[in-house]
């Protein structure tokens, strides 16, 4: 029951973060909803498994940021530099908004985390608030319109695919050494999902070039 609740509220929070990072840069998140939901569900499961291993709890936020960068680069098809900027900007904005919610609703972040129910309430209220903010941003056309194509690397699809493959090897070693087989499985599925989109995009671009 605890694992289900953790995943459910983490997924809600993750969708809020995704919507915010997209709309800040005037990107409609709805066309990518189902792909994002699939990835965020796997991210939530991985976060739970990593947090259950106290020695690896610090990897959860790092892996989530990294996976969001891969998602924006492969599924949304933004350049790698742009994907990093979009993800980090979205996470920063989310952290600021969540801190504001904490200061208004809870006495402190420590108090919100001291009772599990408070933590779930914080995740839900954050997701709802950020969802509304994202909706208003997109409806009113407020946000950045940077052209990240200018910073796209040559053969970036190959760079992204190689990076994903190296990250998979790196985390395989870490998780293998800690014998976290279930997390290794779900992490492999997630990165394979990104590899599929990266390779598909590269093939599509190659076909267009030949045509």
């Amino acid at each position: 029951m605890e694992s289900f609740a953790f995943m459910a509220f983490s997924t809600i929070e993750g969708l809020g973060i995704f919507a915010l990072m997209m709309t800040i840069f005037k990107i409609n998140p709805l066309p990518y909803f189902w792909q994002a939901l699939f990835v965020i569900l796997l991210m939530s499961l991985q976060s739970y498994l990593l947090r259950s291993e106290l020695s690896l709890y610090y990897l959860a936020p790092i892996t989530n940021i990294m996976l969001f960068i891969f998602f924006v680069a492969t599924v949304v098809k933004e350049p790698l530099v742009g994907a990093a900027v979009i993800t980090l900007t979205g996470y920063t904005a989310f952290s600021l908004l969540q801190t504001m919610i904490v200061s208004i609703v809870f006495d402190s972040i420590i108090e919100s985390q001291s009772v599990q129910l408070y933590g779930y309430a914080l995740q839900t209220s954050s997701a709802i608030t950020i969802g509304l903010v994202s909706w208003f941003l997109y409806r009113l056309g407020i946000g950045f319109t940077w052209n990240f194509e200018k910073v796209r690397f040559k053969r970036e699809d190959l760079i992204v695919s190689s990076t994903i493959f190296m990250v998979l090897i790196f985390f395989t070693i870490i998780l293998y050494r800690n014998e976290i087989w279930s997390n290794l499985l779900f992490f492999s599925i997630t990165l394979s999902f990104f590899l599929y989109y990266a390779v598909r995009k590269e093939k599509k671009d190659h076909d267009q070039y030949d045509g």
Side-chain angles (χ1 to χ4, degrees), residues 3-183:
S3 59
F4 176 80
F6 179 92
M7 284 187 57
F9 288 103
S10 294
T11 300
I12 293 172
E13 185 180 59
L15 288 172
I17 295 173
F18 173 71
L20 183 62
M21 69 171 62
M22 292 290 99
T23 54
I24 285 177
F25 290 89
K26 296 186 177 181
I27 302 172
N28 185 359
L30 292 181
Y32 313 104
F33 174 79
W34 292 110
Q35 296 97 320
L37 179 61
F38 173 75
V39 171
I40 291 170
L41 280 170
L42 290 176
M43 288 167 58
S44 299
L45 179 56
Q46 290 162 182
S47 294
Y48 176 78
L49 294 173
L50 286 173
R51 292 177 190 278
S52 66
E53 297 289 331
L54 297 180
S55 60
L56 295 175
Y57 72 94
Y58 61 89
L59 286 178
I62 297 173
T63 55
N64 287 346
I65 291 174
M66 180 191 63
L67 293 176
F68 265 130
I69 290 175
F70 286 151
F71 182 91
V72 178
T74 60
V75 179
V76 184
K77 299 179 176 61
E78 289 290 334
L80 189 58
V81 173
V85 171
I86 290 170
T87 300
L88 294 175
T89 301
Y91 258 90
T92 301
F94 169 81
S95 298
L96 291 174
L97 288 172
Q98 191 173 64
T99 299
M100 292 174 60
I101 293 172
V102 168
S103 63
I104 294 172
V105 180
F106 303 99
D107 292 333
S108 67
I109 294 178
I110 295 177
E111 180 182 347
S112 69
Q113 294 177 341
S114 62
V115 179
Q116 197 171 55
L117 183 61
Y118 285 176
Y120 294 152
L122 173 61
Q123 287 178 303
T124 304
S125 58
S126 298
I128 293 174
T129 302
I130 290 168
L132 291 173
V133 170
S134 301
W135 183 81
F136 278 113
L137 286 176
Y138 193 75
R139 272 301 282 257
L140 298 177
I142 300 173
F144 300 104
T145 55
W146 291 351
N147 183 12
F148 292 113
E149 290 298 326
K150 295 180 180 179
V151 293
R152 184 182 289 276
F153 299 115
K154 291 182 179 180
R155 300 296 299 167
E156 183 166 293
D157 293 332
L158 180 61
I159 294 174
V160 171
S161 299
S162 300
T163 303
I164 293 173
F165 188 69
M166 287 188 293
V167 168
L168 177 58
I169 293 175
F170 174 74
F171 274 92
T172 297
I173 295 172
I174 292 179
L175 297 175
Y176 176 80
R177 288 171 63 91
N178 287 272
E179 297 185 355
I180 310 178
W181 308 114
S182 54
N183 200 292

